[in-house]
């Protein structure tokens, strides 16, 4: 007769099941804080107009500044940060690679250089913060290496190390990609992704009727190669390893598989609480479907594939075609 855990043992197992999701959140948040608050990735800028001679003098002073060595002057830059009050023909002068504490002095210096050149500044929009380099721009690979190591390798390495260290003791599932690559595995993963998208579409339709507000159940960033890699590979791998690979089997020992599936979905939804009520319900539906897929197939790779497919389809499709 199998040993039935006591109430105290059940609670201990439930707490243990939350350890890896908590580690994932803590390491990712720490890396994000290190990048955005401790790095030299800030920029101060100002839009100016003037004669060619004035702009040339300003460029010489900005580019050759002895203290702030990463300055430039040009047209057609940082358009998404340009205020409506500053016309498209104005040049942009800026200092970059600044620490947070350098911004006020750098801004005052830039304003003084503009005045000395005789150019006229557009009095609006002073700063662009966290001007991080893109790892998908070959010209910035050298500058973005630290960001890639922090935001990709360190969280993945930490979660994987903890998972592998405990996998034998807790009988955690392996990745086994071949199990998800079969026709049945692929169809199940795609089916879960489509069901999750249908759930989100239903929320988007019903939410205005119930609350009078737009749901915004999916807060989709602009499509880009970097966002696609994060949405299709990085986030699904980390989250499925933590919630369906670790949390679900350990919680199942405490409260059984059906209840553990619900617990996994609720925990996954709690991760998305900052996105609002509709986003939390969207994540709860996705988490429930992924938990059901895991309990049905015992394939962590299938859950990663389903999660990545959901993110990729939602990111690639225009919102009006998906939810309109």
């Amino acid at each position: 007769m199998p040993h039935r855990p006591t109430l105290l043992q059940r609670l201990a197992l439930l707490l243990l099941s939350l350890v890896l999701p908590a580690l994932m959140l803590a390491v990712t948040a720490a890396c994000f804080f290190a990048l955005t608050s401790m790095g030299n990735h800030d920029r101060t800028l100002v839009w100016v107009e003037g004669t060619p001679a004035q702009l040339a003098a300003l460029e010489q002073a900005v580019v050759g500044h002895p203290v702030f060595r990463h300055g430039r002057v040009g047209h057609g830059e940082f358009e998404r940060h340009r205020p409506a009050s500053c016309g498209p023909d104005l040049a942009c002068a800026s200092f970059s690679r600044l620490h947070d504490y350098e911004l006020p002095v750098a801004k005052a210096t830039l304003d003084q250089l503009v005045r000395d050149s005789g150019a006229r500044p557009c009095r609006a929009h002073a700063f662009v913060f966290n001007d991080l380099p893109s790892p998908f721009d070959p010209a910035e690979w050298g500058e973005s290496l630290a960001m890639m190591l922090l935001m990709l390798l360190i969280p993945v390495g930490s979660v994987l190390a903890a998972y592998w260290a405990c996998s034998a003791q807790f009988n955690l599932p392996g990745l086994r990609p071949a199990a998800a690559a079969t026709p049945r595995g692929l169809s199940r993963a795609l089916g879960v992704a489509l069901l999750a998208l249908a759930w989100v579409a239903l929320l988007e339709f019903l939410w205005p009727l119930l609350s009078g507000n737009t749901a915004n159940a999916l807060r989709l960033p602009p499509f880009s190669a970097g966002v696609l890699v994060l949405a299709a590979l990085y986030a699904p791998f980390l989250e499925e390893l933590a919630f369906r690979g670790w949390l679900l089997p350990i919680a199942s020992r405490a409260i059984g598989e059906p209840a553990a599936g619900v617990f996994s979905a609720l925990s996954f939804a709690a991760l998305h609480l900052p996105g609002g009520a509709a986003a939390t319900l969207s994540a709860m539906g996705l988490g429930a479907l992924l938990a059901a897929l895991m309990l049905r197939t015992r394939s962590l790779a299938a859950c990663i594939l389903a999660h990545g497919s959901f993110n990729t389809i939602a990111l690639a499709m225009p919102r009006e075609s998906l939810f309109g």
Side-chain angles (χ1 to χ4, degrees), residues 16-283:
L16 179 64
S17 72
L18 296 172
V19 167
L20 196 64
L23 175 66
M24 179 194 71
L25 284 176
V27 175
T28 304
C31 292
F32 182 78
F33 174 79
L35 279 172
T36 58
S37 300
M38 300 173 65
N40 60 334
H41 300 298
D42 292 336
R43 177 184 298 272
T44 180
L45 54 84
V46 63
W47 277 272
V48 297
E49 60 178 340
T51 65
Q54 291 171 336
L55 294 180
L58 175 61
E59 182 175 10
Q60 183 177 4
V62 169
V63 173
H65 196 272
V67 177
F68 302 108
R69 299 183 179 274
H70 302 285
R72 63 188 187 188
V73 176
H75 290 83
E77 297 181 313
F78 311 107
E79 290 301 319
R80 64 191 181 94
H81 299 291
R82 183 189 296 270
S85 58
C86 298
D89 296 331
L90 272 62
C92 177
S94 67
F95 289 127
S96 64
R97 301 186 192 179
L98 303 170
H99 290 278
D100 183 37
Y101 59 84
E102 295 177 304
L103 281 168
V105 177
K107 176 60 171 60
T109 302
L110 191 61
D111 286 341
Q112 185 61 49
L113 293 178
V114 171
R115 288 193 294 269
D116 292 345
S117 70
R120 295 175 296 282
C122 176
R123 294 297 180 185
H125 199 75
F127 299 112
V128 177
F129 294 104
N130 301 324
D131 187 27
L132 293 173
S134 170
F136 302 98
D137 184 351
E140 298 183 344
W141 280 347
E143 295 298 323
S144 63
L145 179 60
M147 181 183 71
M148 292 178 66
L149 291 175
L150 280 172
M151 291 304 295
L152 300 180
L153 300 184
I154 292 179
V156 169
S158 302
V159 171
L160 272 178
Y163 191 88
W164 282 335
C166 302
S167 58
Q169 181 179 358
F170 298 115
N171 194 26
L172 301 177
L175 288 176
R176 293 182 296 146
T182 63
R184 176 175 292 185
L186 292 172
S187 63
R188 284 175 171 171
L190 183 58
V192 165
L194 294 177
L195 283 174
L197 288 168
W199 167 245
V200 174
L202 181 63
L203 282 177
E204 293 281 354
F205 174 74
L206 293 178
W207 201 263
L209 302 178
L210 299 175
S211 67
N213 300 316
T214 304
N216 291 324
L218 284 180
R219 298 180 180 273
L220 301 175
F223 183 88
S224 68
V227 170
L228 179 61
V229 170
L230 294 177
L233 298 175
Y234 178 70
F237 180 79
L238 272 184
E239 292 178 355
E240 293 312 304
L241 204 66
F243 286 94
R244 259 63 64 179
W246 173 285
L247 185 151
L248 186 56
I250 294 178
S252 295
R253 298 184 180 188
I255 54 179
E257 289 186 346
V262 175
F263 183 65
S264 170
L266 292 174
S267 302
F268 186 66
L271 180 70
H272 297 79
L273 279 173
T280 302
L281 286 175
S282 171

Side-chain angles (χ1 to χ4, degrees), residues 172-182 294 297-302 304:
L172 301 177
L175 288 176
R176 293 182 296 146
T182 63
M294 183 65 189
T297 64
R298 309 293 174 178
S299 172
L300 182 58
I304 295 173

